[in-house]
Amino acid sequence: MKIVTLGDSLTVGETEFQFVDSVKPASYPEYLEWLAEHYLSSHGLLGEVRVVNKGVSGDLTSGMLERFSGDVIDEKPDCVIILGGTNDIGWGLDPAAITHNLTNIYDRAMDKGIMPVACSVPSILGLDELIPPRITLNRMISTEAEKRRITFVDVFNATADSETNRLLEEYSADGLHLTPKGYQQIGRCIFDKWLRPILDQQAK
């Protein structure tokens, strides 16, 4: 199985952490690939999961849409995980406009026979005024994913304080980007909600 991860710096990863016996980028795509390979080997299952990181730091959803052909279609993946919108919100773009770009990405993927996985955007720490538009955007993403019957992975609630909706301090590197533990949490969330059931199904 080949998976492309499309996104911004939250997909690129920003720091480094000790990972098994080597130092690797603290990115959720790489951790997701490791989780998949570890799961397959530990359960005696055949197969291979390759995750291609197509995150671009600072990118907007409009940029993700523009590079979709080269970064996703040309890779010929089975699936694409889409995590975008954080920078759009930072620039004050309307959640409806952001959702429009994201749904275009979902639809283009489906038209090409590529399974899209829609992710919510994580919260933020230190700028409470930017939390409500995230919640609005995530609600829209969830609704559009349900309409298309595609998987929605809620990484917002997986990394936020349930009372304040702020990004948990243990997952925050600078208020916006994540710590290694935060990137691993996103990878774990996507694995548990979406990838592990697929691997289990393929093993049957």
Side-chain angles (χ1 to χ4, degrees), residues 77-142:
D78 300 291
C79 318
V80 57
I81 301 171
I82 302 104
L83 172 53
T86 293
N87 293 318
D88 301 62
I89 290 174
W91 285 102
L93 299 179
D94 185 78
I98 304 169
T99 303
H100 178 73
N101 289 333
L102 291 171
T103 54
N104 278 339
I105 293 172
Y106 307 154
D107 292 341
R108 288 191 65 185
M110 293 169 68
D111 287 344
K112 294 295 182 180
I114 302 168
M115 179 194 301
V117 177
C119 295
S120 62
V121 295
S123 190
I124 197 166
L125 185 63
L127 290 170
D128 284 357
E129 64 272 20
L130 293 182
I131 295 177
R134 279 169 163 75
I135 293 174
T136 299
L137 173 61
N138 290 337
R139 189 178 301 118
M140 291 179 175
I141 293 173
S142 176

Side-chain angles (χ1 to χ4, degrees), residues 2-4 72-80 113-115:
K2 185 177 183 180
I3 303 167
V4 166
V72 180
I73 295 176
D74 288 354
E75 287 285 342
K76 296 180 172 57
D78 300 291
C79 318
V80 57
I114 302 168
M115 179 194 301

Side-chain angles (χ1 to χ4, degrees), residues 34-81:
W34 182 86
L35 285 172
E37 293 297 338
H38 178 72
Y39 186 79
L40 289 171
S41 62
S42 64
H43 287 75
L45 302 176
L46 299 177
E48 179 183 9
V49 176
R50 181 185 173 207
V51 183
V52 180
N53 191 329
K54 290 294 183 178
V56 172
S57 295
D59 207 6
L60 305 177
T61 54
S62 57
M64 292 164 58
L65 184 57
E66 287 175 3
R67 59 188 176 88
F68 186 83
S69 291
D71 282 359
V72 180
I73 295 176
D74 288 354
E75 287 285 342
K76 296 180 172 57
D78 300 291
C79 318
V80 57
I81 301 171

Side-chain angles (χ1 to χ4, degrees), residues 3-46:
I3 303 167
V4 166
T5 56
L6 185 66
D8 48 40
S9 58
L10 294 177
T11 296
V12 174
E14 293 292 315
T15 58
E16 292 186 344
F17 66 100
Q18 191 65 31
F19 186 55
V20 191
D21 294 320
S22 63
V23 175
K24 295 195 175 185
S27 69
Y28 90 77
E30 195 149 17
Y31 189 63
L32 180 64
E33 181 176 279
W34 182 86
L35 285 172
E37 293 297 338
H38 178 72
Y39 186 79
L40 289 171
S41 62
S42 64
H43 287 75
L45 302 176
L46 299 177

